[in-house]
Amino acid sequence: MAVAAAVVLLAACGGGDGSEPEPAPSGGTTTQPSITAPPTLTPEEQAEADIQATFEDLIADRDAFYSNAGDYVLADVATNSPATEWNVTGQAELEMSNWTVLWRQGGLEQTSSILVAAHEISSIEVAEAEGQADLAVSVACLDMTSLGYVAVDAASADLTYEPDQYQSWEMTWIFFPTASPEAGVDDGGWYVRTVEVSRNAPC
């Protein structure tokens, strides 16, 4: 009985052949992936990214006004349009200021948000000399099929309004490196300078 117990004990200890147990592998050193700097954008690529972001913000600002038009007094909109706070200047600012007044006169509020179905930048001209401006041209298609409308005041709302289902915006852009009060620009950045709208051609 004592012999059997000794055999079991030897088996548990590795067979009793006198060899030391194999050391557990240490795993060695782990190779960490090298950290590389993000790729540097060309001036044209940076301009395109900035214009895309600016346009998204512009549509969000427009949606915010159209969805909350009842919070604005018509006389205030007519004399100080919310569009003056958007990244628009020149003809585009005048055009969008007119839109805000007409919208407030209509007595409606928009529900939901516009979908930017496409926005293609067809050309970017980076200034080569001091005093010249960066310029760009782009075309966007807006899908407005999911929008709904409610009356701000049922007694005065234009409930016969036929909303656009789609809009195509052809835009020219200009870059201001810093604020330009004479152009109505409070902060530097890309601004829509002109806009031409075509209606109800599906994106």
Side-chain angles (χ1 to χ4, degrees):
M1 191 68 180
V3 172
V7 171
V8 171
L9 181 61
L10 285 173
C13 292
D17 58 359
S19 61
E20 294 293 325
E22 293 285 335
S26 66
T29 56
T30 330
T31 304
Q32 297 292 334
S34 59
I35 300 174
T36 57
T40 303
L41 299 179
T42 66
E44 290 80 4
E45 290 170 337
Q46 185 63 60
E48 181 169 356
D50 292 343
I51 290 170
Q52 293 284 8
T54 301
F55 186 68
E56 294 284 347
D57 289 343
L58 173 60
I59 295 303
D61 289 340
R62 181 185 182 276
D63 279 340
F65 170 72
Y66 276 51
S67 299
N68 299 280
D71 296 342
Y72 294 80
V73 177
L74 176 57
D76 293 342
V77 175
T79 56
N80 187 26
S81 164
T84 61
E85 301 298 320
W86 305 345
N87 275 45
V88 293
T89 188
Q91 180 268 351
E93 181 178 324
L94 178 61
E95 185 77 9
M96 294 190 195
S97 293
N98 288 338
W99 296 353
T100 62
V101 173
L102 291 172
W103 183 257
R104 184 62 189 91
Q105 286 175 337
L108 296 178
E109 287 187 342
Q110 169 185 302
T111 62
S112 189
S113 301
I114 289 173
L115 171 65
V116 179
H119 182 210
E120 300 294 333
I121 299 169
S122 57
S123 70
I124 295 175
E125 298 177 20
V126 176
E128 297 181 356
E130 187 176 349
Q132 296 178 343
D134 295 352
L135 303 172
V137 177
S138 73
V139 177
C141 191
L142 308 181
D143 184 341
M144 308 164 83
T145 55
S146 66
L147 299 184
Y149 303 92
V150 296
V152 172
D153 179 353
S156 62
D158 179 8
L159 299 179
T160 62
Y161 173 72
E162 291 291 338
D164 291 340
Q165 297 294 293
Y166 301 93
Q167 288 183 353
S168 176
W169 291 16
E170 296 183 27
M171 294 166 284
T172 63
W173 295 77
I174 184 169
F175 179 75
F176 292 92
T178 59
S180 179
E182 66 277 7
V185 171
D186 294 330
D187 298 296
W190 282 97
Y191 284 72
V192 182
R193 184 166 61 173
T194 66
V195 57
E196 298 295 334
V197 177
S198 302
R199 292 180 160 83
N200 292 320
C203 296

